[in-house]
Amino acid sequence: MLSIFVGNFLWSNTGFGLLRVIRDLDDYEPRYDPTVIKLSDSLDSEPIEETTSNISIKSQSTSNRHYSAAYFTSAYKAGKLTPTEVITGLLDQISAEKRHSVAFLQIIPENVLAAAEASTARYKSGKPLSLLDGVPVAVKDEADLDGYEKSLGSSIDYTRKNGGTSWCIKKWEDAGAIIIGITNMHELGLGISHPLSTLPRTSAHHYTDTTNNNPVKGTPLNPHNPSYYTGGSSGGSAYAVASGLVPIAHGADGGGSIRIPAAYCGLYGLKPTHGRVSILPTKSLATSNGVMGPLASSMADLELAYRILATPDPSNPTSSLFNPPSSPPSPSSKNNRPKTLGIYNPWFSASSPEVLSACNAALDHYTSSLSYRLIPIHLPHLHSAQLAHALTILSEISSGTPPSLLPSLSAANKILLSVGALTPATDFLLAQKMRALLMSHLAWLWNEYPGMLI
């Protein structure tokens, strides 16, 4: 534990106290739960059938490196491969190569092979469960999976005493997916953010140290370039997909932990709406920030994975309020959808020249080839909002981590959680007022520009 003097100094040095001088917050009530549930277009509409049969997935690999879910299911149906053959070869490959095995914290071969044999039998009888049946997937060490240990990438045992599998992961299992194992992650999913040295403190631009550098469990390296990290905190899952071991993996995100490794590894990642994906009986350490979602090597596989993960959970008071994910719009309706991109120019202009050039080229493509229009937008108090987010997530995680466990953590997380534990209740409430302010502003923007992508 840090001394009170050192802890208070570090807390003050973060700038968290800046929230106290923002008078705009006086007009807002604290909002702790960020869940927003879209109203049905029609009160009489029927819930969408819980099926993935209408997803259009092309039966081909997305590159020489990646096999899609449809590649596997098509090969199984044609009798060219069986799930047992695929999984046996995959387990052999992972165990034979250190660069692969470090991405996994636990694999139980007999469980994996039993699931593959059951899937093989279903295909033999012509009764696969879904488009995910027999497809190898991986699960981050943040979900619960019956029979497996959970450590959140640390040396602490977070395994549920009563067992059980997270609802969203159980939906993958129910669809026939074959879980290869539990993947590595940045310890507790926590890294340290710093202002870029070339920008003034008030500019609100940060880089992150959530790299998936894990001194406790080992560090998977970026499959595209082993001199680089995978990004974190879902780095093991990102490695498993980017290396071509699996087409789909599970991740979790409270501040970029799906989106960062997806960007580092050239993948597709989705942080779903808060409360959309049920994780019961798993307890989140970052209740108002964290969600679980998929990473994939193609948009089609991302959609497939998400639609099954997001099956509403009748025992979850929030998840049960959502409809199942809707069917993709028809081609005719797509032509009538708003095509608006909201651009926060100060964020763009802070990019390095090569990044800015690539982003501008993408925007030129959207406007000239896809008929999007660009709308300059303003995001108020963005630097302070980042502070409010950091204050909130550190407070949440530290409240769920008893001081007796801190000596088991790496030095960086000892400091982070010790500092988070010193947050006064008044400052925590100010951070929730900042959340309310930003959500109100975003609601106004989307009312002005329906369907806008930011």
Side-chain angles (χ1 to χ4, degrees):
M1 286 288 290
L2 297 175
S3 70
I4 296 299
F5 173 79
V6 173
N8 286 331
F9 171 78
L10 292 175
W11 193 93
S12 299
N13 194 52
T14 63
F16 288 160
L18 291 176
L19 297 175
R20 299 171 184 174
V21 300
I22 301 176
R23 297 277 63 88
D24 286 350
L25 298 181
D26 296 341
D27 297 327
Y28 293 87
E29 296 289 334
R31 176 162 183 166
Y32 184 68
D33 186 352
T35 304
V36 176
I37 300 171
K38 181 182 177 182
L39 295 175
S40 300
D41 294 331
S42 169
L43 295 177
D44 299 323
S45 62
E46 293 290 331
I48 298 168
E49 183 181 0
E50 296 181 353
T51 179
T52 57
S53 61
N54 58 345
I55 297 178
S56 174
I57 303 182
K58 295 180 174 58
S59 298
Q60 59 188 25
S61 302
T62 55
S63 72
N64 292 333
R65 181 189 294 263
H66 300 124
Y67 292 105
S68 68
Y71 170 86
F72 288 112
T73 55
S74 296
Y76 298 156
K77 290 176 181 178
K80 296 178 181 178
L81 289 170
T82 68
T84 301
E85 292 171 335
V86 168
I87 298 307
T88 299
L90 188 53
L91 292 177
D92 289 344
Q93 185 178 8
I94 293 171
S95 64
E97 298 191 50
K98 175 67 173 177
R99 64 191 177 101
H100 294 332
S101 61
V102 74
F104 289 87
L105 299 184
Q106 189 179 10
I107 294 174
I108 304 178
E110 56 269 29
N111 290 11
V112 184
L113 289 171
E117 289 164 3
S119 178
T120 297
R122 289 192 293 270
Y123 276 100
K124 187 175 181 179
S125 64
K127 296 179 180 179
L129 296 173
S130 76
L131 293 175
L132 206 54
D133 200 344
V135 175
V137 301
V139 173
K140 183 183 180 181
D141 184 31
E142 201 164 334
D144 288 302
L145 184 58
D146 215 11
Y148 287 77
E149 299 172 355
K150 184 172 77 172
S151 66
L152 302 181
S154 72
S155 59
I156 301 171
D157 184 8
Y158 285 95
T159 309
R160 280 178 50 82
K161 292 181 174 59
N162 298 325
T165 297
S166 303
W167 168 270
C168 55
I169 304 304
K170 184 66 167 60
K171 292 299 100 182
W172 274 3
E173 289 186 316
D174 291 346
I178 300 175
I179 297 173
I180 299 300
I182 301 299
T183 57
N184 201 326
M185 62 178 284
H186 201 108
E187 186 187 58
L188 297 192
L190 283 177
I192 304 174
S193 293
H194 310 268
L196 286 173
S197 59
T198 56
L199 296 168
R201 184 175 180 83
T202 55
S203 64
H205 298 282
H206 287 59
Y207 67 86
T208 178
D209 277 344
T210 312
T211 56
N212 219 99
N213 180 355
N214 190 321
V216 178
K217 300 290 188 177
T219 301
L221 301 177
N222 196 306
H224 300 294
N225 186 336
S227 296
Y228 289 84
Y229 289 120
T230 58
S233 63
S234 306
S237 289
Y239 178 92
V241 177
S243 64
L245 295 172
V246 298
I248 292 166
H250 157 270
D253 190 321
S257 288
I258 288 174
R259 294 160 290 166
I260 292 169
Y264 277 34
C265 294
L267 304 175
Y268 298 89
L270 176 64
K271 181 189 180 187
T273 297
H274 187 269
R276 177 53 146 132
V277 174
S278 174
I279 66 173
L280 291 180
T282 302
K283 303 299 181 186
S284 174
L285 282 181
T287 308
S288 76
N289 289 275
V291 301
M292 293 187 179
L295 296 98
S297 58
S298 70
M299 278 298 293
D301 283 348
L302 192 75
E303 179 191 352
L304 171 63
Y306 167 69
R307 292 185 67 182
I308 297 175
L309 279 179
T311 302
D313 178 359
S315 65
N316 185 315
T318 303
S319 167
S320 60
L321 297 177
F322 287 91
N323 278 331
S326 59
S327 302
S330 65
S332 60
S333 64
K334 283 184 181 180
N335 294 332
N336 298 323
R337 294 178 66 190
K339 289 190 170 185
T340 307
L341 296 175
I343 305 297
Y344 181 57
N345 284 314
W347 198 271
F348 265 66
S349 61
S351 303
S352 59
E354 60 271 26
V355 172
L356 183 60
S357 176
C359 289
N360 284 333
L363 292 179
D364 288 342
H365 172 71
Y366 279 116
T367 54
S368 62
S369 301
L370 300 178
S371 302
Y372 278 84
R373 63 170 177 151
L374 303 184
I375 300 293
I377 62 172
H378 173 61
L379 298 175
H381 300 295
L382 197 52
H383 173 62
S384 299
Q386 289 179 304
L387 292 174
H389 167 261
L391 183 155
T392 299
I393 199 167
L394 287 180
S395 298
E396 289 181 336
I397 296 178
S398 63
S399 72
T401 307
S404 60
L405 295 180
L406 289 184
S408 301
L409 298 174
S410 63
N413 280 337
K414 287 177 186 176
I415 294 172
L416 286 172
L417 294 188
S418 296
V419 170
L422 295 174
T423 299
T426 50
D427 290 279
F428 185 83
L429 291 175
L430 285 174
Q432 310 323 303
K433 287 187 174 187
M434 179 60 73
R435 192 203 301 262
L437 183 156
L438 284 173
M439 290 183 70
S440 296
H441 182 73
L442 289 169
W444 177 83
L445 282 175
W446 278 311
N447 186 61
E448 289 288 304
Y449 307 105
M452 177 176 63
L453 301 176
I454 296 178

